[in-house]
Amino acid sequence: MRQIAIVFLLLVSHLCEAQFGSAIAFPNNSKRTTLDTSPEFFVLNWEEGSVLDIAETPMTIMVDSVGAQKINILRNKDRAPVLYSSNIVTPVCADGDCKLMHITLYWTLLGDYAGFDRSVEEPLTKHDHDEFLFTDYWKLHELLQDHNSILKRRAIDELVTKPKPSKIEGVDALSGATVKEVKESVVSGALYSCYVAWHLVHGKIKEELKAYTLGQQNEDMLLRMLNSTHTNYQMYALENLDQNQYKANFPRISELFKSGIPLVRSFIIKNLADMFTQSPSTMQPFWDALPHIDINTRSLLLKHIDTASEATVTAISTQLGVLTKNQLLKFLSHLEDKKSLSAEILENLRRFAASSKEKNAYIVVQFLEDYS
């Protein structure tokens, strides 16, 4: 299958060279020196008023039938790196007829897909060279965000069924129907364009970009990532901050514990486990977040219940409805170890036990019977 795919791409390249010759003109935006507006399709937050300077890097990205194309780095007014980009020009062929695809791709500092800009003068096209509609561009944007797309695991020839013989050179670049399992995720009539764009975005360039960023990494970069809304940036910063930096940025980290995704929360709580014992009062924002976090993180948090203050334990006794059965048993086990319970905690337990709406009320009923 892989050999068929290689032959397929070589024939496409041959068709394109026959049509365009060896020289391919690059888009006008390749000459831009600044970026002062957000890319049209973008996954990051664009800071209002930003003007990013565009400069070449030593890196290039290989494009089939075209060769190496330059990778740019975009820096803010403080000369801090913000994005990577490349102005891509590559032929796309259908039924022996080839047309150039112009697209500016953007990557994050970690090499993840960040977005793209389309060319106004040279819009992307589908089968029969019908121009992309806005909905088609949006679908491409969604596809490029999926780093684990089926396109990752299949050669191009495996994505079409029963290819028909071409009238030119015996191969038709887009003949045959797109297989059902990929049809919903790619732009209809633009399988090859989608395939090429996805592999440009998610190819080996990802690790090259990340390595280039690592060579420029400093504390300011890590703090900008920590304060970003981009989850991968948050995780990267959390993984690379030292203990002193954790303490210095504790307000932001505790905020992420409440608002971040489960992966971010679990990493934070595991990394700060010692602080529950060393500085219980500092960890109060974590306990305050208990009703708002996911089940798995809540279980990780309750592992530290023995370090919680009396006020925290009392607050949790009013939140028993958010606990799973095992979490409730963990909390009640902690109460069993206490010499006595305050009147307020007992009242909260009785109120929960008497509720007909709480499916775990019977567990607290049993606890109260044993306690008395």
Side-chain angles (χ1 to χ4, degrees), residues 149-216:
S149 166
I150 187 177
L151 303 186
K152 178 180 182 179
R153 304 180 296 278
R154 299 289 186 89
I156 185 67
D157 60 289
E158 296 175 305
L159 301 176
V160 293
T161 57
K162 297 181 180 179
K164 300 175 183 179
S166 173
K167 296 178 182 179
I168 302 178
E169 301 293 336
V171 170
D172 175 353
L174 290 180
S175 291
T178 304
V179 297
K180 186 176 181 180
E181 59 184 316
V182 74
K183 193 172 184 178
E184 294 302 315
S185 62
V186 301
V187 177
S188 179
L191 171 62
Y192 187 68
S193 296
C194 291
Y195 187 87
V196 169
W198 191 93
H199 280 273
L200 286 172
V201 166
H202 297 283
K204 64 179 182 179
I205 191 64
K206 174 183 173 73
E207 293 306 318
E208 294 178 24
L209 295 174
K210 190 172 182 178
Y212 194 81
T213 295
L214 185 61
Q216 304 178 70

